[in-house]
Structures are given as structure tokens and as C-alpha cells.
Amino acid sequence: MINLPEYSKSYLALRNGQDKPEIWVAFKGIIYDVTESRLWKNGKHYEHWAGQDLTDELKDAPHSDQVFAKFKVVGKLLSVICCLLSVV
């Protein structure tokens, strides 16, 4: 994958459709912009909220991870381990 900007979980959390106009979600370390999706209106998709990592929640969805292919990739999710290692 090309060089993508990296964003923290707190930065992602603000892209929830309420604190900021962008609606982003992460899956397997990749952040997707779902702002234009009618299914993510106001940052909510059924019982899921935008601005967070949905990797563990996909198992409960009626669709596969292929659903993310239709959304624009905006960055990579910084892992806590990555951030801690850069401080050491």
C-alpha cells in the first residue's frame, strides 16, 4: 500500500460525524472515509459508531470485509505498540 498518513485512535475518534464533519472508521489498521455513505448518516451504522476501529465488530455484521472496498482509504491507524516503541 502506498505511503499513507498515520492517525492515532484519538484523532480517528473525532471523525465520528458529530465532533467533526468527517465520518471515518478503521478496519485491520486501515482508515476509511464513509462520510458519503447513507448507511453511516450522523456517524452511526446500526449499533456501530464511527470514529473507531471496527475490526473486532465485523464478525457480527451481515456482510464481509469486502464492503470496505467501496470507500476511500484515508490513512493507517497508529498502534499503541508503535507509538511506545518510538518513545523508547
Side-chain angles (χ1 to χ4, degrees), residues 41-84:
K41 189 173 172 99
N42 300 320
K44 190 167 192 296
H45 176 62
Y46 299 99
E47 72 274 3
H48 306 288
W49 292 95
Q52 60 183 318
D53 184 352
L54 300 177
T55 303
D56 293 336
E57 297 184 38
L58 189 71
K59 65 184 177 300
D60 299 327
H63 53 72
S64 72
D65 60 354
Q66 294 301 309
V67 71
F68 293 103
K70 63 177 130 178
F71 299 113
K72 179 182 174 189
V73 173
V74 293
K76 294 189 287 189
L77 188 59
L78 270 174
S79 69
V80 174
I81 294 171
C82 167
C83 297
L84 290 175

Side-chain angles (χ1 to χ4, degrees), residues 16-44:
N16 60 17
Q18 295 176 25
D19 294 313
K20 301 276 184 185
E22 300 93 357
I23 302 174
W24 292 1
V25 296
F27 178 71
K28 292 188 175 179
I30 303 297
I31 301 173
Y32 299 89
D33 185 343
V34 298
T35 305
E36 299 300 319
S37 173
R38 65 178 176 78
L39 297 175
W40 279 97
K41 189 173 172 99
N42 300 320
K44 190 167 192 296

